[in-house]
C-alpha cells in the first residue's frame, strides 16, 4: 500500500471513530440507558466487519483477474477428417 492511500484510509478511520465517540458521549448525556455502550460496540463491529468483507472480496476480484481465472476457457477444436463425425 502506498503512503497517500494509507494516510487517506487512516484519516478516514480516525474521522469515523471520532464521530462514533462523539455520538456515544453526546447521547450518553441525554440520558439513554446503560445499553448504549453495547449498541455502539455492535455498530463499530458491524462497520469494521463490512469493511473487512468488502476489502477481502475486492482483493479476491483483483487476484482472480491477475491470475486469469476470469478468462473464458479456450477449447481446442478437433481436426475435421472428412468422416462426418
Amino acid at each position: 500500500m502506498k503512503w497517500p492511500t494509507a494516510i487517506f484510509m487512516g484519516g478516514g478511520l480516525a474521522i469515523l471513530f471520532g464521530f462514533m465517540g462523539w455520538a456515544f458521549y453526546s447521547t450518553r448525556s441525554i440520558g439513554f440507558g446503560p445499553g448504549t455502550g453495547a449498541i455502539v460496540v455492535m455498530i463499530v463491529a458491524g462497520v469494521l466487519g463490512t469493511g473487512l468483507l468488502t476489502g477481502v472480496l475486492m482483493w479476491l476480484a483483483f487476484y482472480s483477474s491477475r491470475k486469469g481465472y476470469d478468462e473464458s476457457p479456450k477449447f481446442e477444436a478437433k481436426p475435421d477428417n472428412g468422416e462426418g463425425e
Side-chain angles (χ1 to χ4, degrees), residues 8-67:
F8 180 72
M9 289 178 62
L13 286 174
I15 290 171
L16 176 70
F17 286 128
F19 176 74
M20 294 297 288
W22 170 80
F24 175 68
Y25 286 111
S26 65
T27 57
R28 215 167 163 195
S29 63
I30 294 173
F32 284 104
T36 306
I39 292 170
V40 170
V41 168
M42 287 185 271
I43 290 172
V44 169
V47 168
L48 290 177
T50 302
L52 180 66
L53 180 64
T54 302
V56 168
L57 290 175
M58 286 303 296
W59 172 81
L60 185 61
F62 283 107
Y63 177 80
S64 66
S65 177
R66 274 190 229 120
K67 294 291 183 179

